[in-house]
Amino acid sequence: MSHSPLFGNLARAMRIAQFCDRNNISTSQGMEQIAAVESRIARWRLSRREFLALSAVSTLGAVAGNWDKAIAAPPIKSDVKVGIVGAGLAGLVCGNELKKNGIVATLYDASNRVGGRCFSMGGSFGGPVNFPNQVVERGGEFIDNLHKTMLGLAQQFGLTLEDVEKQPGEVFYYFNGQRYPESVVVDEYRNLVAAMRADLLKLSSAPTADNHTSADVALDNISLLEYLETRQAGSVVKAAISAAYMAEYGLELYEQSCLNFLLFIHADKRSKFKPFGVFSDERYHIVEGNEKIAQGLASQLPGQINLGMRLVKVRKNASSRIELTFANGAKTTSVAYDAVVLAIPFTVLRQVELDTNLELPVWKRQAISQLGYGTNAKMMLGFNRRPWVDLGSNGSSYSNLLNHQSTWESNPTKATSTNAVLTDYSSGKRGALLNPSKVQQEATRFLGDLELVYPGAKAAATRNGDSLRVHLEQWTSKEQTLGSYTCYKPGQFTSIAGNEGKPVGNLHFAGEHANSFYEWQGFMEGAALSGMQAASEILQDLKPQDSNS
């Protein structure tokens, strides 16, 4: 699964290469065979959609059943007092799970809204820019077909899913001043695979801080940039991998562990690297806006959420309860809890005073202080026509240009011939340096490079006088996030991975970072699962107490 459709496109190229190698056929032969299979799959899916819409029992039924069971489960009788810091998806899911089990937790968030990085614009949400009849995502955007929790929540709140993966048209690869067909990427990847095989044989299946080999450590400490250079990756596939992995994880290649790449190839659960025949990596976007899920969860917690409360200190008091100190303007408030869930990014937690009496072990402090975070930013631009469609593209593109890295079309099922939105997805140095206070200048620079990829784009951009219709969401500069989402730096798979979500006594941790890399870390699904896990830990801690009462 990917944060952007572009990463899925690269995964497709890799699967094509594997299929061709396994069957000892040329790239062109393999692509012809795959195209035929995909055509059959597309026809099958068209007839299947109506069935799924009517029955809702195959993908979502089991999830809905699990939620029903959770709601029907007898609540624990306990007067335990729980505080949750962060009212994003993780905190909201945690609060709801606890409430189903008889514990009314108190939630706090520094923002004036719930949802965290689940942040929609348009429709009922409004926002600083109006893209007619479309809802765009300022933060988390795509829900995968394996994201059972998010799909279950969408169904629970009666939301509409649009399948945005199978839009007609090609991905445009524009590197070193020219456009390349997908077949070139596949051919060069096939050559790279031969150099990777020895490394894949050395690598264990799921290295973490607690479970790794010396070979894992050696590879983990190699950056992705060094890896591609020392394995003689071709110039085109190197550029494609660079664009895809910078977009996917948010940091420059020299700041990423090469295991981000090798473990994807290694077919872990997160990447869903499937053998030929399962090309469906369906991604969904909620038509009404993903933030509707956050609002739905919040509506089930009336009177429990306190906004505008910035955490400044965490300590233990004399009775070993966790004391939280919040700032709200000039006012400071301290409250003690039997158990606390910190559901905020570690980038933000680094700004909080964590008292030594919490006795956080070295491995936990290391995870908090050093875990890598991407610098992704999203800039959405309005267009009065769709030049990428005219050129045979679906709006997805990669390049190694200075002011363009990757794009996709936002909310394509709601787009019209006169109103469309393209997302400019940036990362690394460019993502960190984009300036929201100079959005018109940033958008003009982007359009200059986009014109090289999609000739005619500059003229098609929607303008009101001299101003472009554009919005820039720069997550690294937001004090509630200070980054986009997790990205392991060199050495962090074998020194940090797996420690992010571990509780320390009655102090628990949730958020996308707290879910496993081998599950859904970095995604909305990971945030939701981490909230469930934190709630489960608290409920488990209560069992001995309740059994003796």
Side-chain angles (χ1 to χ4, degrees), residues 158-192:
L159 301 173
T160 310
L161 296 172
E162 62 172 342
D163 181 354
V164 300
E165 185 204 25
K166 291 295 182 181
Q167 296 301 311
E170 298 179 12
V171 181
F172 276 27
Y173 299 92
Y174 189 93
F175 302 121
N176 307 318
Q178 69 179 92
R179 182 184 155 205
Y180 289 92
E182 185 180 45
S183 60
V184 174
V185 179
V186 173
D187 278 334
E188 289 198 2
Y189 176 72
R190 293 178 71 177
N191 293 331
L192 176 61

PDB file of all heavy atoms in Angstrom, residues 158-192:
ATOM      1  N   GLY A 158     -21.959   5.676   7.022  1.00  0.00           N
ATOM      2  CA  GLY A 158     -22.737   5.853   5.800  1.00  0.00           C
ATOM      3  C   GLY A 158     -22.061   6.705   4.747  1.00  0.00           C
ATOM      4  O   GLY A 158     -22.713   7.462   4.029  1.00  0.00           O
ATOM      5  N   LEU A 159     -20.743   6.562   4.612  1.00  0.00           N
ATOM      6  CA  LEU A 159     -19.985   7.386   3.676  1.00  0.00           C
ATOM      7  C   LEU A 159     -19.785   6.684   2.335  1.00  0.00           C
ATOM      8  O   LEU A 159     -19.824   5.455   2.258  1.00  0.00           O
ATOM      9  CB  LEU A 159     -18.632   7.750   4.297  1.00  0.00           C
ATOM     10  CG  LEU A 159     -18.740   8.517   5.629  1.00  0.00           C
ATOM     11  CD1 LEU A 159     -17.370   8.696   6.259  1.00  0.00           C
ATOM     12  CD2 LEU A 159     -19.427   9.864   5.422  1.00  0.00           C
ATOM     13  N   THR A 160     -19.569   7.466   1.303  1.00  0.00           N
ATOM     14  CA  THR A 160     -19.455   6.960  -0.066  1.00  0.00           C
ATOM     15  C   THR A 160     -17.994   6.809  -0.462  1.00  0.00           C
ATOM     16  O   THR A 160     -17.202   7.743  -0.307  1.00  0.00           O
ATOM     17  CB  THR A 160     -20.131   7.928  -1.053  1.00  0.00           C
ATOM     18  OG1 THR A 160     -21.441   8.235  -0.580  1.00  0.00           O
ATOM     19  CG2 THR A 160     -20.209   7.312  -2.442  1.00  0.00           C
ATOM     20  N   LEU A 161     -17.640   5.639  -0.984  1.00  0.00           N
ATOM     21  CA  LEU A 161     -16.270   5.394  -1.421  1.00  0.00           C
ATOM     22  C   LEU A 161     -16.159   5.546  -2.932  1.00  0.00           C
ATOM     23  O   LEU A 161     -17.009   5.044  -3.674  1.00  0.00           O
ATOM     24  CB  LEU A 161     -15.834   3.978  -1.036  1.00  0.00           C
ATOM     25  CG  LEU A 161     -15.766   3.657   0.462  1.00  0.00           C
ATOM     26  CD1 LEU A 161     -15.515   2.162   0.646  1.00  0.00           C
ATOM     27  CD2 LEU A 161     -14.675   4.468   1.140  1.00  0.00           C
ATOM     28  N   GLU A 162     -15.110   6.253  -3.380  1.00  0.00           N
ATOM     29  CA  GLU A 162     -14.801   6.285  -4.809  1.00  0.00           C
ATOM     30  C   GLU A 162     -13.504   5.526  -5.024  1.00  0.00           C
ATOM     31  O   GLU A 162     -12.553   5.667  -4.270  1.00  0.00           O
ATOM     32  CB  GLU A 162     -14.683   7.721  -5.330  1.00  0.00           C
ATOM     33  CG  GLU A 162     -13.569   8.548  -4.712  1.00  0.00           C
ATOM     34  CD  GLU A 162     -13.377   9.895  -5.393  1.00  0.00           C
ATOM     35  OE1 GLU A 162     -13.854  10.066  -6.523  1.00  0.00           O
ATOM     36  OE2 GLU A 162     -12.736  10.771  -4.790  1.00  0.00           O
ATOM     37  N   ASP A 163     -13.489   4.700  -6.065  1.00  0.00           N
ATOM     38  CA  ASP A 163     -12.283   3.957  -6.430  1.00  0.00           C
ATOM     39  C   ASP A 163     -11.470   4.841  -7.367  1.00  0.00           C
ATOM     40  O   ASP A 163     -11.874   5.122  -8.489  1.00  0.00           O
ATOM     41  CB  ASP A 163     -12.684   2.658  -7.124  1.00  0.00           C
ATOM     42  CG  ASP A 163     -11.484   1.806  -7.518  1.00  0.00           C
ATOM     43  OD1 ASP A 163     -10.345   2.279  -7.356  1.00  0.00           O
ATOM     44  OD2 ASP A 163     -11.696   0.678  -7.984  1.00  0.00           O
ATOM     45  N   VAL A 164     -10.315   5.287  -6.898  1.00  0.00           N
ATOM     46  CA  VAL A 164      -9.533   6.238  -7.683  1.00  0.00           C
ATOM     47  C   VAL A 164      -8.350   5.595  -8.399  1.00  0.00           C
ATOM     48  O   VAL A 164      -7.566   6.282  -9.035  1.00  0.00           O
ATOM     49  CB  VAL A 164      -9.019   7.393  -6.790  1.00  0.00           C
ATOM     50  CG1 VAL A 164     -10.177   8.133  -6.169  1.00  0.00           C
ATOM     51  CG2 VAL A 164      -8.078   6.870  -5.702  1.00  0.00           C
ATOM     52  N   GLU A 165      -8.210   4.285  -8.271  1.00  0.00           N
ATOM     53  CA  GLU A 165      -7.024   3.657  -8.842  1.00  0.00           C
ATOM     54  C   GLU A 165      -7.102   3.481 -10.348  1.00  0.00           C
ATOM     55  O   GLU A 165      -6.153   3.760 -11.067  1.00  0.00           O
ATOM     56  CB  GLU A 165      -6.760   2.295  -8.202  1.00  0.00           C
ATOM     57  CG  GLU A 165      -5.456   1.697  -8.710  1.00  0.00           C
ATOM     58  CD  GLU A 165      -5.405   0.192  -8.590  1.00  0.00           C
ATOM     59  OE1 GLU A 165      -6.473  -0.435  -8.567  1.00  0.00           O
ATOM     60  OE2 GLU A 165      -4.303  -0.349  -8.541  1.00  0.00           O
ATOM     61  N   LYS A 166      -8.236   3.003 -10.833  1.00  0.00           N
ATOM     62  CA  LYS A 166      -8.325   2.593 -12.235  1.00  0.00           C
ATOM     63  C   LYS A 166      -8.822   3.711 -13.140  1.00  0.00           C
ATOM     64  O   LYS A 166      -9.711   3.517 -13.962  1.00  0.00           O
ATOM     65  CB  LYS A 166      -9.234   1.360 -12.344  1.00  0.00           C
ATOM     66  CG  LYS A 166      -8.618   0.108 -11.731  1.00  0.00           C
ATOM     67  CD  LYS A 166      -7.377  -0.318 -12.479  1.00  0.00           C
ATOM     68  CE  LYS A 166      -6.780  -1.592 -11.897  1.00  0.00           C
ATOM     69  NZ  LYS A 166      -5.552  -2.005 -12.599  1.00  0.00           N
ATOM     70  N   GLN A 167      -8.226   4.882 -12.983  1.00  0.00           N
ATOM     71  CA  GLN A 167      -8.535   5.957 -13.919  1.00  0.00           C
ATOM     72  C   GLN A 167      -7.808   5.686 -15.236  1.00  0.00           C
ATOM     73  O   GLN A 167      -6.655   5.250 -15.241  1.00  0.00           O
ATOM     74  CB  GLN A 167      -8.097   7.302 -13.331  1.00  0.00           C
ATOM     75  CG  GLN A 167      -8.850   7.689 -12.065  1.00  0.00           C
ATOM     76  CD  GLN A 167     -10.351   7.793 -12.293  1.00  0.00           C
ATOM     77  OE1 GLN A 167     -10.807   8.436 -13.235  1.00  0.00           O
ATOM     78  NE2 GLN A 167     -11.121   7.148 -11.437  1.00  0.00           N
ATOM     79  N   PRO A 168      -8.454   5.930 -16.366  1.00  0.00           N
ATOM     80  CA  PRO A 168      -7.800   5.658 -17.656  1.00  0.00           C
ATOM     81  C   PRO A 168      -6.606   6.576 -17.865  1.00  0.00           C
ATOM     82  O   PRO A 168      -6.558   7.705 -17.371  1.00  0.00           O
ATOM     83  CB  PRO A 168      -8.909   5.939 -18.674  1.00  0.00           C
ATOM     84  CG  PRO A 168      -9.850   6.874 -17.972  1.00  0.00           C
ATOM     85  CD  PRO A 168      -9.816   6.470 -16.530  1.00  0.00           C
ATOM     86  N   GLY A 169      -5.637   6.089 -18.610  1.00  0.00           N
ATOM     87  CA  GLY A 169      -4.462   6.887 -18.929  1.00  0.00           C
ATOM     88  C   GLY A 169      -3.203   6.323 -18.310  1.00  0.00           C
ATOM     89  O   GLY A 169      -3.243   5.454 -17.442  1.00  0.00           O
ATOM     90  N   GLU A 170      -2.068   6.817 -18.780  1.00  0.00           N
ATOM     91  CA  GLU A 170      -0.765   6.310 -18.358  1.00  0.00           C
ATOM     92  C   GLU A 170      -0.140   7.189 -17.284  1.00  0.00           C
ATOM     93  O   GLU A 170      -0.517   8.342 -17.091  1.00  0.00           O
ATOM     94  CB  GLU A 170       0.175   6.255 -19.565  1.00  0.00           C
ATOM     95  CG  GLU A 170      -0.267   5.336 -20.677  1.00  0.00           C
ATOM     96  CD  GLU A 170       0.714   5.357 -21.835  1.00  0.00           C
ATOM     97  OE1 GLU A 170       1.821   5.895 -21.659  1.00  0.00           O
ATOM     98  OE2 GLU A 170       0.365   4.833 -22.904  1.00  0.00           O
ATOM     99  N   VAL A 171       0.852   6.603 -16.625  1.00  0.00           N
ATOM    100  CA  VAL A 171       1.732   7.362 -15.754  1.00  0.00           C
ATOM    101  C   VAL A 171       2.824   7.960 -16.630  1.00  0.00           C
ATOM    102  O   VAL A 171       3.378   7.278 -17.489  1.00  0.00           O
ATOM    103  CB  VAL A 171       2.377   6.450 -14.691  1.00  0.00           C
ATOM    104  CG1 VAL A 171       3.281   7.266 -13.768  1.00  0.00           C
ATOM    105  CG2 VAL A 171       1.308   5.722 -13.893  1.00  0.00           C
ATOM    106  N   PHE A 172       3.119   9.232 -16.418  1.00  0.00           N
ATOM    107  CA  PHE A 172       4.186   9.871 -17.193  1.00  0.00           C
ATOM    108  C   PHE A 172       5.458   9.924 -16.361  1.00  0.00           C
ATOM    109  O   PHE A 172       5.467  10.442 -15.243  1.00  0.00           O
ATOM    110  CB  PHE A 172       3.771  11.292 -17.611  1.00  0.00           C
ATOM    111  CG  PHE A 172       2.931  11.346 -18.870  1.00  0.00           C
ATOM    112  CD1 PHE A 172       2.137  10.283 -19.251  1.00  0.00           C
ATOM    113  CD2 PHE A 172       2.929  12.479 -19.671  1.00  0.00           C
ATOM    114  CE1 PHE A 172       1.367  10.322 -20.393  1.00  0.00           C
ATOM    115  CE2 PHE A 172       2.163  12.538 -20.829  1.00  0.00           C
ATOM    116  CZ  PHE A 172       1.376  11.455 -21.187  1.00  0.00           C
ATOM    117  N   TYR A 173       6.534   9.355 -16.916  1.00  0.00           N
ATOM    118  CA  TYR A 173       7.857   9.395 -16.281  1.00  0.00           C
ATOM    119  C   TYR A 173       8.708  10.406 -17.046  1.00  0.00           C
ATOM    120  O   TYR A 173       9.002  10.198 -18.226  1.00  0.00           O
ATOM    121  CB  TYR A 173       8.517   8.017 -16.330  1.00  0.00           C
ATOM    122  CG  TYR A 173       7.768   6.925 -15.605  1.00  0.00           C
ATOM    123  CD1 TYR A 173       6.843   6.132 -16.280  1.00  0.00           C
ATOM    124  CD2 TYR A 173       8.003   6.680 -14.257  1.00  0.00           C
ATOM    125  CE1 TYR A 173       6.161   5.115 -15.624  1.00  0.00           C
ATOM    126  CE2 TYR A 173       7.335   5.663 -13.597  1.00  0.00           C
ATOM    127  CZ  TYR A 173       6.410   4.887 -14.283  1.00  0.00           C
ATOM    128  OH  TYR A 173       5.742   3.883 -13.623  1.00  0.00           O
ATOM    129  N   TYR A 174       9.107  11.478 -16.388  1.00  0.00           N
ATOM    130  CA  TYR A 174       9.872  12.522 -17.052  1.00  0.00           C
ATOM    131  C   TYR A 174      11.177  12.727 -16.295  1.00  0.00           C
ATOM    132  O   TYR A 174      11.203  13.320 -15.210  1.00  0.00           O
ATOM    133  CB  TYR A 174       9.056  13.825 -17.085  1.00  0.00           C
ATOM    134  CG  TYR A 174       9.676  14.911 -17.944  1.00  0.00           C
ATOM    135  CD1 TYR A 174       9.317  15.064 -19.278  1.00  0.00           C
ATOM    136  CD2 TYR A 174      10.613  15.785 -17.417  1.00  0.00           C
ATOM    137  CE1 TYR A 174       9.874  16.054 -20.076  1.00  0.00           C
ATOM    138  CE2 TYR A 174      11.181  16.780 -18.200  1.00  0.00           C
ATOM    139  CZ  TYR A 174      10.806  16.911 -19.520  1.00  0.00           C
ATOM    140  OH  TYR A 174      11.366  17.896 -20.296  1.00  0.00           O
ATOM    141  N   PHE A 175      12.253  12.206 -16.856  1.00  0.00           N
ATOM    142  CA  PHE A 175      13.555  12.282 -16.193  1.00  0.00           C
ATOM    143  C   PHE A 175      14.619  12.789 -17.164  1.00  0.00           C
ATOM    144  O   PHE A 175      14.616  12.430 -18.348  1.00  0.00           O
ATOM    145  CB  PHE A 175      13.975  10.905 -15.663  1.00  0.00           C
ATOM    146  CG  PHE A 175      12.986  10.305 -14.701  1.00  0.00           C
ATOM    147  CD1 PHE A 175      12.395   9.079 -14.971  1.00  0.00           C
ATOM    148  CD2 PHE A 175      12.645  10.960 -13.534  1.00  0.00           C
ATOM    149  CE1 PHE A 175      11.482   8.518 -14.085  1.00  0.00           C
ATOM    150  CE2 PHE A 175      11.724  10.415 -12.648  1.00  0.00           C
ATOM    151  CZ  PHE A 175      11.146   9.193 -12.919  1.00  0.00           C
ATOM    152  N   ASN A 176      15.520  13.590 -16.612  1.00  0.00           N
ATOM    153  CA  ASN A 176      16.675  14.070 -17.373  1.00  0.00           C
ATOM    154  C   ASN A 176      16.273  14.709 -18.696  1.00  0.00           C
ATOM    155  O   ASN A 176      16.912  14.503 -19.732  1.00  0.00           O
ATOM    156  CB  ASN A 176      17.652  12.916 -17.620  1.00  0.00           C
ATOM    157  CG  ASN A 176      18.032  12.207 -16.324  1.00  0.00           C
ATOM    158  OD1 ASN A 176      18.268  12.866 -15.305  1.00  0.00           O
ATOM    159  ND2 ASN A 176      18.076  10.883 -16.359  1.00  0.00           N
ATOM    160  N   GLY A 177      15.155  15.461 -18.639  1.00  0.00           N
ATOM    161  CA  GLY A 177      14.753  16.243 -19.799  1.00  0.00           C
ATOM    162  C   GLY A 177      13.942  15.517 -20.845  1.00  0.00           C
ATOM    163  O   GLY A 177      13.699  16.059 -21.927  1.00  0.00           O
ATOM    164  N   GLN A 178      13.489  14.289 -20.576  1.00  0.00           N
ATOM    165  CA  GLN A 178      12.657  13.591 -21.555  1.00  0.00           C
ATOM    166  C   GLN A 178      11.707  12.619 -20.874  1.00  0.00           C
ATOM    167  O   GLN A 178      11.901  12.241 -19.728  1.00  0.00           O
ATOM    168  CB  GLN A 178      13.524  12.841 -22.573  1.00  0.00           C
ATOM    169  CG  GLN A 178      14.283  11.645 -21.995  1.00  0.00           C
ATOM    170  CD  GLN A 178      15.098  10.938 -23.054  1.00  0.00           C
ATOM    171  OE1 GLN A 178      16.268  11.235 -23.254  1.00  0.00           O
ATOM    172  NE2 GLN A 178      14.473   9.989 -23.735  1.00  0.00           N
ATOM    173  N   ARG A 179      10.673  12.245 -21.610  1.00  0.00           N
ATOM    174  CA  ARG A 179       9.680  11.313 -21.089  1.00  0.00           C
ATOM    175  C   ARG A 179      10.058   9.894 -21.483  1.00  0.00           C
ATOM    176  O   ARG A 179      10.521   9.643 -22.599  1.00  0.00           O
ATOM    177  CB  ARG A 179       8.299  11.660 -21.652  1.00  0.00           C
ATOM    178  CG  ARG A 179       7.202  10.765 -21.107  1.00  0.00           C
ATOM    179  CD  ARG A 179       5.860  11.076 -21.748  1.00  0.00           C
ATOM    180  NE  ARG A 179       4.996   9.916 -21.705  1.00  0.00           N
ATOM    181  CZ  ARG A 179       3.995   9.684 -22.546  1.00  0.00           C
ATOM    182  NH1 ARG A 179       3.736  10.543 -23.502  1.00  0.00           N
ATOM    183  NH2 ARG A 179       3.262   8.607 -22.438  1.00  0.00           N
ATOM    184  N   TYR A 180       9.853   8.955 -20.534  1.00  0.00           N
ATOM    185  CA  TYR A 180      10.175   7.550 -20.772  1.00  0.00           C
ATOM    186  C   TYR A 180       8.912   6.696 -20.632  1.00  0.00           C
ATOM    187  O   TYR A 180       8.091   6.934 -19.738  1.00  0.00           O
ATOM    188  CB  TYR A 180      11.207   7.052 -19.760  1.00  0.00           C
ATOM    189  CG  TYR A 180      12.589   7.615 -19.953  1.00  0.00           C
ATOM    190  CD1 TYR A 180      12.988   8.767 -19.279  1.00  0.00           C
ATOM    191  CD2 TYR A 180      13.498   7.004 -20.812  1.00  0.00           C
ATOM    192  CE1 TYR A 180      14.264   9.289 -19.457  1.00  0.00           C
ATOM    193  CE2 TYR A 180      14.773   7.525 -20.998  1.00  0.00           C
ATOM    194  CZ  TYR A 180      15.142   8.664 -20.308  1.00  0.00           C
ATOM    195  OH  TYR A 180      16.402   9.189 -20.490  1.00  0.00           O
ATOM    196  N   PRO A 181       8.751   5.676 -21.471  1.00  0.00           N
ATOM    197  CA  PRO A 181       7.631   4.750 -21.304  1.00  0.00           C
ATOM    198  C   PRO A 181       7.888   3.819 -20.115  1.00  0.00           C
ATOM    199  O   PRO A 181       9.025   3.628 -19.685  1.00  0.00           O
ATOM    200  CB  PRO A 181       7.609   3.967 -22.628  1.00  0.00           C
ATOM    201  CG  PRO A 181       9.031   4.013 -23.104  1.00  0.00           C
ATOM    202  CD  PRO A 181       9.560   5.348 -22.673  1.00  0.00           C
ATOM    203  N   GLU A 182       6.830   3.229 -19.598  1.00  0.00           N
ATOM    204  CA  GLU A 182       6.942   2.331 -18.456  1.00  0.00           C
ATOM    205  C   GLU A 182       7.874   1.157 -18.749  1.00  0.00           C
ATOM    206  O   GLU A 182       8.569   0.657 -17.857  1.00  0.00           O
ATOM    207  CB  GLU A 182       5.559   1.815 -18.066  1.00  0.00           C
ATOM    208  CG  GLU A 182       5.538   0.961 -16.818  1.00  0.00           C
ATOM    209  CD  GLU A 182       4.134   0.482 -16.488  1.00  0.00           C
ATOM    210  OE1 GLU A 182       3.418   0.033 -17.417  1.00  0.00           O
ATOM    211  OE2 GLU A 182       3.757   0.552 -15.310  1.00  0.00           O
ATOM    212  N   SER A 183       7.922   0.716 -20.006  1.00  0.00           N
ATOM    213  CA  SER A 183       8.741  -0.445 -20.348  1.00  0.00           C
ATOM    214  C   SER A 183      10.218  -0.217 -20.050  1.00  0.00           C
ATOM    215  O   SER A 183      10.939  -1.157 -19.697  1.00  0.00           O
ATOM    216  CB  SER A 183       8.556  -0.793 -21.829  1.00  0.00           C
ATOM    217  OG  SER A 183       8.937   0.307 -22.649  1.00  0.00           O
ATOM    218  N   VAL A 184      10.698   1.026 -20.172  1.00  0.00           N
ATOM    219  CA  VAL A 184      12.095   1.316 -19.868  1.00  0.00           C
ATOM    220  C   VAL A 184      12.362   1.145 -18.377  1.00  0.00           C
ATOM    221  O   VAL A 184      13.389   0.590 -17.965  1.00  0.00           O
ATOM    222  CB  VAL A 184      12.467   2.744 -20.324  1.00  0.00           C
ATOM    223  CG1 VAL A 184      13.886   3.097 -19.877  1.00  0.00           C
ATOM    224  CG2 VAL A 184      12.350   2.873 -21.837  1.00  0.00           C
ATOM    225  N   VAL A 185      11.414   1.602 -17.553  1.00  0.00           N
ATOM    226  CA  VAL A 185      11.541   1.434 -16.106  1.00  0.00           C
ATOM    227  C   VAL A 185      11.593  -0.050 -15.762  1.00  0.00           C
ATOM    228  O   VAL A 185      12.420  -0.501 -14.963  1.00  0.00           O
ATOM    229  CB  VAL A 185      10.363   2.113 -15.366  1.00  0.00           C
ATOM    230  CG1 VAL A 185      10.478   1.908 -13.853  1.00  0.00           C
ATOM    231  CG2 VAL A 185      10.321   3.604 -15.691  1.00  0.00           C
ATOM    232  N   VAL A 186      10.710  -0.837 -16.387  1.00  0.00           N
ATOM    233  CA  VAL A 186      10.664  -2.276 -16.128  1.00  0.00           C
ATOM    234  C   VAL A 186      11.969  -2.954 -16.537  1.00  0.00           C
ATOM    235  O   VAL A 186      12.540  -3.760 -15.788  1.00  0.00           O
ATOM    236  CB  VAL A 186       9.462  -2.926 -16.847  1.00  0.00           C
ATOM    237  CG1 VAL A 186       9.519  -4.446 -16.713  1.00  0.00           C
ATOM    238  CG2 VAL A 186       8.148  -2.401 -16.283  1.00  0.00           C
ATOM    239  N   ASP A 187      12.474  -2.619 -17.716  1.00  0.00           N
ATOM    240  CA  ASP A 187      13.715  -3.243 -18.194  1.00  0.00           C
ATOM    241  C   ASP A 187      14.882  -2.950 -17.260  1.00  0.00           C
ATOM    242  O   ASP A 187      15.662  -3.847 -16.910  1.00  0.00           O
ATOM    243  CB  ASP A 187      14.047  -2.744 -19.603  1.00  0.00           C
ATOM    244  CG  ASP A 187      13.284  -3.496 -20.685  1.00  0.00           C
ATOM    245  OD1 ASP A 187      12.907  -4.659 -20.427  1.00  0.00           O
ATOM    246  OD2 ASP A 187      13.064  -2.929 -21.763  1.00  0.00           O
ATOM    247  N   GLU A 188      15.025  -1.711 -16.844  1.00  0.00           N
ATOM    248  CA  GLU A 188      16.141  -1.360 -15.966  1.00  0.00           C
ATOM    249  C   GLU A 188      15.960  -1.965 -14.577  1.00  0.00           C
ATOM    250  O   GLU A 188      16.942  -2.333 -13.923  1.00  0.00           O
ATOM    251  CB  GLU A 188      16.296   0.160 -15.879  1.00  0.00           C
ATOM    252  CG  GLU A 188      16.829   0.780 -17.151  1.00  0.00           C
ATOM    253  CD  GLU A 188      17.394   2.169 -16.943  1.00  0.00           C
ATOM    254  OE1 GLU A 188      17.405   2.653 -15.790  1.00  0.00           O
ATOM    255  OE2 GLU A 188      17.821   2.783 -17.935  1.00  0.00           O
ATOM    256  N   TYR A 189      14.708  -2.089 -14.132  1.00  0.00           N
ATOM    257  CA  TYR A 189      14.475  -2.739 -12.845  1.00  0.00           C
ATOM    258  C   TYR A 189      14.871  -4.210 -12.908  1.00  0.00           C
ATOM    259  O   TYR A 189      15.449  -4.756 -11.960  1.00  0.00           O
ATOM    260  CB  TYR A 189      13.018  -2.598 -12.414  1.00  0.00           C
ATOM    261  CG  TYR A 189      12.740  -3.347 -11.133  1.00  0.00           C
ATOM    262  CD1 TYR A 189      13.235  -2.881  -9.921  1.00  0.00           C
ATOM    263  CD2 TYR A 189      12.038  -4.548 -11.144  1.00  0.00           C
ATOM    264  CE1 TYR A 189      13.021  -3.582  -8.750  1.00  0.00           C
ATOM    265  CE2 TYR A 189      11.818  -5.245  -9.978  1.00  0.00           C
ATOM    266  CZ  TYR A 189      12.312  -4.766  -8.785  1.00  0.00           C
ATOM    267  OH  TYR A 189      12.116  -5.466  -7.630  1.00  0.00           O
ATOM    268  N   ARG A 190      14.600  -4.866 -14.041  1.00  0.00           N
ATOM    269  CA  ARG A 190      14.965  -6.275 -14.188  1.00  0.00           C
ATOM    270  C   ARG A 190      16.475  -6.453 -14.050  1.00  0.00           C
ATOM    271  O   ARG A 190      16.952  -7.424 -13.461  1.00  0.00           O
ATOM    272  CB  ARG A 190      14.484  -6.808 -15.535  1.00  0.00           C
ATOM    273  CG  ARG A 190      12.969  -6.873 -15.643  1.00  0.00           C
ATOM    274  CD  ARG A 190      12.518  -7.365 -16.998  1.00  0.00           C
ATOM    275  NE  ARG A 190      12.790  -8.796 -17.187  1.00  0.00           N
ATOM    276  CZ  ARG A 190      12.436  -9.483 -18.272  1.00  0.00           C
ATOM    277  NH1 ARG A 190      11.808  -8.869 -19.273  1.00  0.00           N
ATOM    278  NH2 ARG A 190      12.699 -10.763 -18.365  1.00  0.00           N
ATOM    279  N   ASN A 191      17.239  -5.505 -14.553  1.00  0.00           N
ATOM    280  CA  ASN A 191      18.688  -5.575 -14.420  1.00  0.00           C
ATOM    281  C   ASN A 191      19.125  -5.356 -12.970  1.00  0.00           C
ATOM    282  O   ASN A 191      20.064  -5.984 -12.490  1.00  0.00           O
ATOM    283  CB  ASN A 191      19.355  -4.530 -15.317  1.00  0.00           C
ATOM    284  CG  ASN A 191      19.162  -4.825 -16.795  1.00  0.00           C
ATOM    285  OD1 ASN A 191      19.030  -5.984 -17.183  1.00  0.00           O
ATOM    286  ND2 ASN A 191      19.134  -3.789 -17.611  1.00  0.00           N
ATOM    287  N   LEU A 192      18.405  -4.485 -12.257  1.00  0.00           N
ATOM    288  CA  LEU A 192      18.739  -4.206 -10.860  1.00  0.00           C
ATOM    289  C   LEU A 192      18.449  -5.409  -9.975  1.00  0.00           C
ATOM    290  O   LEU A 192      19.188  -5.686  -9.019  1.00  0.00           O
ATOM    291  CB  LEU A 192      17.942  -2.989 -10.375  1.00  0.00           C
ATOM    292  CG  LEU A 192      18.097  -2.599  -8.910  1.00  0.00           C
ATOM    293  CD1 LEU A 192      19.539  -2.239  -8.578  1.00  0.00           C
ATOM    294  CD2 LEU A 192      17.165  -1.434  -8.572  1.00  0.00           C
TER     295      LEU A 192
END
